[in-house]
Every structure is written in C-alpha cells, then in structure tokens.
Amino acid sequence: MMNRTLIIMTLFIFALPALGNSKKAEAILRKSKTNIVNPLDLRDPFKRPSLKTKKKQAKKVETTFFTNVPTIDSTPLENIRIVGILVGKERRAIAKVIGGDQNDNETFILKEGMTLGQNKAIIKAILPGGILLAEKITNVYDEEEYLETVIPVSNE
C-alpha cells in the first residue's frame, strides 16, 4: 500500500512541471497569428491535387483530311436540288446534283454551317420549305456584300 502511494506521489510531482509547460505553450500559440483566413477552403492533404490547376494552353493544330469520297462543295448552286428536309434537334437537308459529272443517284446530307458552290455560300438555315444560303460577292464598285439565296425543296 505504501508503495502505491509513493508511486502516485512521484508521478504527481513529475506531472506538475509538465502541466506548467502546457500553459505556456497555449499562451504562445494564442499570441501567434496565422495567414489562414478560412481553413475549410484548404485542400485535403491526403488527396492528390486536382489536374484543373495545371491548365496548359492547347496548341491549335490545323488538320487536313484526304479522301476520295465525292463532295458537293464545289458544285454550282444551279445544279443542286433539295429533295428532302429532316426537321428535328439538328436539322438536315438531303440534296442531289443534277446534270453534273457525278452520278444522279447520289445524295448528300447538308448541315447548317456547311459551304456550297464556287463562291463558298454558307448554309445559314434549314427551313421546312428549303435552305437559306448566304454568299459573299463583290459588286460593281468592288465592295463586298452578302447575297442571300433560297433553294426550295424540289417537287421532282
């Protein structure tokens, strides 16, 4: 019994200086200031950093496509006939070429934004009655102006 009391007393004596040091440490920590405003915005140290922060600027590489599939790009507008319209989320027009070197049975799918004809007319809109083209031409005064052309759906 005496041994137990002696052990408890010695532990208590040695523990008192340690308690005094913790109060000093608390005071030092309270006086110090940190630069962290909102600690909840800090990243989790156990997770890998996200790749969003290391954003690299992608170089724009111009790609070219070589194909032997016939296209309708350089066909004159007079030879293009619209035979159908697909109306939906993405509108499409079905076109055939009349009186050209290409086969008459071949159909082409046209989308808004494509270019047609020798003057590079841009398809601005595909409507239920036909397609609307806008082409840039130069007038007699050497000024550039836009000419809008409507190619209606053909009955033939």
Side-chain angles (χ1 to χ4, degrees), residues 48-67:
R48 279 190 263 168
S50 65
L51 297 176
K52 293 179 187 175
T53 57
K54 298 179 182 178
K55 199 173 195 181
K56 294 182 181 178
Q57 289 184 355
K59 294 181 181 178
K60 187 174 183 180
V61 178
E62 188 172 325
T63 58
T64 57
F65 297 101
F66 300 104
T67 181

Side-chain angles (χ1 to χ4, degrees), residues 72-146:
I72 196 169
D73 293 343
S74 61
T75 307
L77 294 178
E78 298 85 30
N79 296 344
I80 297 175
R81 299 287 180 255
I82 305 299
V83 294
I85 300 287
L86 301 173
V87 181
K89 265 188 177 178
E90 295 182 13
R91 296 180 178 205
R92 303 283 187 254
I94 302 171
K96 283 190 177 185
V97 177
I98 304 298
D101 295 338
Q102 298 170 346
N103 192 0
D104 286 341
N105 295 332
E106 194 164 5
T107 59
F108 298 96
I109 304 292
L110 305 178
K111 303 173 189 175
E112 291 180 355
M114 287 179 67
T115 58
L116 293 178
Q118 295 162 339
N119 290 338
K120 303 292 182 193
I122 299 172
I123 300 174
K124 289 293 183 181
I126 298 176
L127 306 170
I131 63 172
L132 179 66
L133 301 171
E135 57 184 315
K136 187 189 296 187
I137 61 167
T138 55
N139 60 14
V140 294
Y141 303 112
D142 280 341
E143 297 172 344
E144 292 182 346
E145 62 182 41
Y146 288 95

